Amino acid sequence: MKRTKSTLNMAMWLLVSTLICGSSAVFTSCGNMDNALEEIINANPTAKGISFAQSKVAVHFGDDTFTNALTNKGDGTVTYTSSNTAVATVNPTTGEVTPVDLGTTTITATVTESGDYTYETKTASYELSVGVSILKWDETLKEMKTEEVTSGVTLTGTIDNTTITAGTYIIYDNATITGDVTLTDDVELILSDGSKLNITGQIDGHTNSKALTIYAQSEGTNMGQLNVEKANGNAITINGLTIHGGKITAKATTTSQYQHCINMFGNLNIYGGEVKAQGADNTSNAGYGINLYVSGTNYTVNIQNHAKVEVIGGKSTGGHGGIGIRGHVTINDYAELTVTGGDGGSGYGGDGIYQTLTASGHAKVKVNGGNGTGSGDVKGGSGIGGVYATVKDYAQVEVTGGNGIGNEVGGKAIHDNLNISGNAYVEATGGNGGTSGNGGDAVGSDLTISGNTYVEATGGNGGTSGNGGHAVGNDLNYNGGTFVALGGAKGTSGTNGRAIDGGLANNTASSFFEYYDGTNWNNFDVSSGYNFYDQVHSRGVRKLD
């Protein structure tokens, strides 16, 4: 409100007049009093300036509009601007901000003086960053951490560009790419919550020797999704793939043989989320779910942090079934893995895992070899074929060999070299034989058990004229834990499978075992002249610890 002399009460006017008239250094006479008083009364008060409540503000891409409160001690008009409207826009009158894209911008408020106030500071500003939060596995701390990303390219809708250069790409809402995607450099892909990227084609990082890293924003049912399906080729072929979360589904479908779902030229790391990979079915030889074998080198798939992974080998109607995973498998930290070898139409069913498995840290693993199908002679695939399997530290593993058909045998649950320790749990069951085929062994050879473990090994049943498979084909080294071994049942002819076809590598443990004579469990006979191997070679042995 404009202040004038008439608005002052009389007492105030007299006080001011007395002070002015007594100031001879300023006024030559009291005759100037009226003019001087008018100058004092009409002078505009000074406002110190304007200021925002926060000097820095961070929001997430996709967040609602917001306002950073402004303090204005005067009555001047304020106007708002954004230094980078590609990142965020601001209402020039209200200061309400709308995030647009990733990046940083400066929001500035400018005040215009009124007739009543002057301002010492006429502008105020704050720094705004628009980013996305991601989950990233910390290999040193062995835990998932949250990080902020404030630079990248957001993708939504139909994407025509199928050549992806270096950088970070954020899938927001739903996006579609039709055709193969070629990586010209290493790429990071962020799957925002509730988003979905569908690729009808191949992700190719191998041509340029590049890698892909995938992040999610959260865990659970709302995490972003990536779906890849390739006709006539591998769904993903790449030099390195690291998954920190998200729901990833990949499938190869083809008329050509040996087309794999994920074809790796380096290691595959899965630190969270859900992953499903399915190799291509084929009339000849089917594709693998995950192939980690290249030119004599076996790479590793590393699965951790509660990740859930399902891998399926392709089915064949006239050749070999596809292997579930070919290469080294390491799994721990409560992760879960299910692997199934593809059914074979001739030749053999695919192995569930072909090379090695190391399971620890409360991991759960279930592996099945592929079955023989059709009308010919087809061998069942091994659950775990290749070199060895190690199960320890509270891990739980169930392995089953595939069933054979015709004259062929059932697959072994674990081909060779199973080492179990540290409160682990293992069930191994050989596949059943075909009509005239033998049952598969639960463990082909060399089983070592120690610690507070539980191991149950059962040979597969023989066909009509086949033998039962052995629980352990050769050599048990027992050093503690509960162990139950039972050979598979014979057909109408043939012989039952043995508990242990070779022998106990640690014979001093023999007195602690019971053997199964086909009807009852009996203590090992340790009297002089007893036939140790007859008892070991019985249909069953067990040690309940």
mmCIF file of all heavy atoms in Angstrom, residues 315-332:
data_model
loop_
_atom_site.group_PDB
_atom_site.id
_atom_site.type_symbol
_atom_site.label_atom_id
_atom_site.label_comp_id
_atom_site.label_asym_id
_atom_site.label_seq_id
_atom_site.Cartn_x
_atom_site.Cartn_y
_atom_site.Cartn_z
ATOM 1 N N LYS A 315 13.849 -79.464 -29.445
ATOM 2 C CA LYS A 315 13.437 -80.836 -29.744
ATOM 3 C C LYS A 315 13.724 -81.169 -31.202
ATOM 4 O O LYS A 315 13.626 -80.324 -32.081
ATOM 5 C CB LYS A 315 11.950 -81.009 -29.451
ATOM 6 C CG LYS A 315 11.576 -80.830 -28.000
ATOM 7 C CD LYS A 315 10.077 -81.002 -27.798
ATOM 8 C CE LYS A 315 9.686 -80.825 -26.332
ATOM 9 N NZ LYS A 315 8.224 -80.997 -26.132
ATOM 10 N N SER A 316 14.040 -82.434 -31.443
ATOM 11 C CA SER A 316 14.295 -82.888 -32.806
ATOM 12 C C SER A 316 13.341 -84.030 -33.150
ATOM 13 O O SER A 316 13.056 -84.890 -32.314
ATOM 14 C CB SER A 316 15.733 -83.372 -32.952
ATOM 15 O OG SER A 316 15.918 -84.002 -34.205
ATOM 16 N N THR A 317 12.878 -84.034 -34.393
ATOM 17 C CA THR A 317 12.050 -85.139 -34.858
ATOM 18 C C THR A 317 12.829 -86.128 -35.717
ATOM 19 O O THR A 317 12.315 -87.201 -36.045
ATOM 20 C CB THR A 317 10.853 -84.610 -35.666
ATOM 21 O OG1 THR A 317 11.338 -83.792 -36.744
ATOM 22 C CG2 THR A 317 9.940 -83.776 -34.774
ATOM 23 N N GLY A 318 14.090 -85.774 -36.071
ATOM 24 C CA GLY A 318 14.855 -86.674 -36.923
ATOM 25 C C GLY A 318 16.339 -86.620 -36.670
ATOM 26 O O GLY A 318 17.133 -87.065 -37.497
ATOM 27 N N GLY A 319 16.770 -86.096 -35.526
ATOM 28 C CA GLY A 319 18.187 -85.994 -35.212
ATOM 29 C C GLY A 319 18.381 -85.957 -33.705
ATOM 30 O O GLY A 319 17.580 -86.472 -32.926
ATOM 31 N N HIS A 320 19.461 -85.300 -33.288
ATOM 32 C CA HIS A 320 19.776 -85.198 -31.863
ATOM 33 C C HIS A 320 18.973 -84.070 -31.211
ATOM 34 O O HIS A 320 18.767 -83.007 -31.797
ATOM 35 C CB HIS A 320 21.258 -84.915 -31.671
ATOM 36 C CG HIS A 320 22.162 -85.940 -32.279
ATOM 37 N ND1 HIS A 320 21.952 -87.291 -32.147
ATOM 38 C CD2 HIS A 320 23.296 -85.803 -33.024
ATOM 39 C CE1 HIS A 320 22.908 -87.958 -32.770
ATOM 40 N NE2 HIS A 320 23.733 -87.072 -33.324
ATOM 41 N N GLY A 321 18.550 -84.311 -29.972
ATOM 42 C CA GLY A 321 17.933 -83.249 -29.204
ATOM 43 C C GLY A 321 18.968 -82.214 -28.785
ATOM 44 O O GLY A 321 20.164 -82.519 -28.640
ATOM 45 N N GLY A 322 18.555 -80.989 -28.605
ATOM 46 C CA GLY A 322 19.486 -79.931 -28.230
ATOM 47 C C GLY A 322 19.896 -80.015 -26.770
ATOM 48 O O GLY A 322 19.104 -80.367 -25.885
ATOM 49 N N ILE A 323 21.140 -79.679 -26.481
ATOM 50 C CA ILE A 323 21.630 -79.599 -25.101
ATOM 51 C C ILE A 323 20.998 -78.381 -24.433
ATOM 52 O O ILE A 323 20.812 -77.343 -25.064
ATOM 53 C CB ILE A 323 23.163 -79.498 -25.092
ATOM 54 C CG1 ILE A 323 23.773 -80.772 -25.678
ATOM 55 C CG2 ILE A 323 23.695 -79.237 -23.691
ATOM 56 C CD1 ILE A 323 25.278 -80.674 -25.903
ATOM 57 N N GLY A 324 20.692 -78.520 -23.149
ATOM 58 C CA GLY A 324 20.169 -77.366 -22.421
ATOM 59 C C GLY A 324 21.231 -76.282 -22.311
ATOM 60 O O GLY A 324 21.095 -75.197 -22.874
ATOM 61 N N ILE A 325 22.327 -76.580 -21.597
ATOM 62 C CA ILE A 325 23.464 -75.653 -21.474
ATOM 63 C C ILE A 325 24.733 -76.413 -21.805
ATOM 64 O O ILE A 325 25.042 -77.423 -21.167
ATOM 65 C CB ILE A 325 23.588 -75.068 -20.055
ATOM 66 C CG1 ILE A 325 22.321 -74.304 -19.664
ATOM 67 C CG2 ILE A 325 24.807 -74.151 -19.961
ATOM 68 C CD1 ILE A 325 22.333 -73.776 -18.236
ATOM 69 N N ARG A 326 25.473 -75.920 -22.793
ATOM 70 C CA ARG A 326 26.785 -76.496 -23.063
ATOM 71 C C ARG A 326 27.840 -75.509 -22.602
ATOM 72 O O ARG A 326 27.967 -74.400 -23.138
ATOM 73 C CB ARG A 326 26.986 -76.798 -24.545
ATOM 74 C CG ARG A 326 28.372 -77.391 -24.788
ATOM 75 C CD ARG A 326 28.580 -78.001 -26.128
ATOM 76 N NE ARG A 326 29.902 -78.639 -26.176
ATOM 77 C CZ ARG A 326 30.383 -79.302 -27.217
ATOM 78 N NH1 ARG A 326 29.645 -79.445 -28.304
ATOM 79 N NH2 ARG A 326 31.583 -79.844 -27.172
ATOM 80 N N GLY A 327 28.600 -75.909 -21.575
ATOM 81 C CA GLY A 327 29.616 -75.044 -20.999
ATOM 82 C C GLY A 327 29.618 -75.210 -19.492
ATOM 83 O O GLY A 327 28.987 -76.111 -18.927
ATOM 84 N N HIS A 328 30.356 -74.354 -18.803
ATOM 85 C CA HIS A 328 30.461 -74.415 -17.353
ATOM 86 C C HIS A 328 29.308 -73.645 -16.709
ATOM 87 O O HIS A 328 28.959 -72.547 -17.153
ATOM 88 C CB HIS A 328 31.788 -73.820 -16.890
ATOM 89 C CG HIS A 328 32.991 -74.510 -17.461
ATOM 90 N ND1 HIS A 328 33.233 -75.852 -17.282
ATOM 91 C CD2 HIS A 328 34.024 -74.040 -18.216
ATOM 92 C CE1 HIS A 328 34.359 -76.187 -17.894
ATOM 93 N NE2 HIS A 328 34.858 -75.110 -18.472
ATOM 94 N N VAL A 329 28.757 -74.215 -15.639
ATOM 95 C CA VAL A 329 27.663 -73.583 -14.909
ATOM 96 C C VAL A 329 28.085 -73.410 -13.457
ATOM 97 O O VAL A 329 28.453 -74.383 -12.785
ATOM 98 C CB VAL A 329 26.374 -74.426 -14.978
ATOM 99 C CG1 VAL A 329 25.253 -73.738 -14.187
ATOM 100 C CG2 VAL A 329 25.959 -74.655 -16.424
ATOM 101 N N THR A 330 28.013 -72.171 -12.966
ATOM 102 C CA THR A 330 28.263 -71.863 -11.560
ATOM 103 C C THR A 330 27.036 -71.160 -10.999
ATOM 104 O O THR A 330 26.574 -70.169 -11.576
ATOM 105 C CB THR A 330 29.500 -70.961 -11.392
ATOM 106 O OG1 THR A 330 30.643 -71.628 -11.918
ATOM 107 C CG2 THR A 330 29.747 -70.645 -9.927
ATOM 108 N N ILE A 331 26.510 -71.658 -9.891
ATOM 109 C CA ILE A 331 25.300 -71.077 -9.324
ATOM 110 C C ILE A 331 25.414 -71.041 -7.801
ATOM 111 O O ILE A 331 25.875 -72.010 -7.182
ATOM 112 C CB ILE A 331 24.042 -71.856 -9.769
ATOM 113 C CG1 ILE A 331 22.771 -71.239 -9.172
ATOM 114 C CG2 ILE A 331 24.148 -73.336 -9.464
ATOM 115 C CD1 ILE A 331 21.491 -71.806 -9.745
ATOM 116 N N ASN A 332 25.008 -69.918 -7.201
ATOM 117 C CA ASN A 332 25.030 -69.809 -5.739
ATOM 118 C C ASN A 332 24.075 -68.706 -5.280
ATOM 119 O O ASN A 332 23.288 -68.179 -6.081
ATOM 120 C CB ASN A 332 26.457 -69.541 -5.233
ATOM 121 C CG ASN A 332 27.089 -68.316 -5.850
ATOM 122 O OD1 ASN A 332 26.435 -67.301 -6.066
ATOM 123 N ND2 ASN A 332 28.377 -68.399 -6.150
#
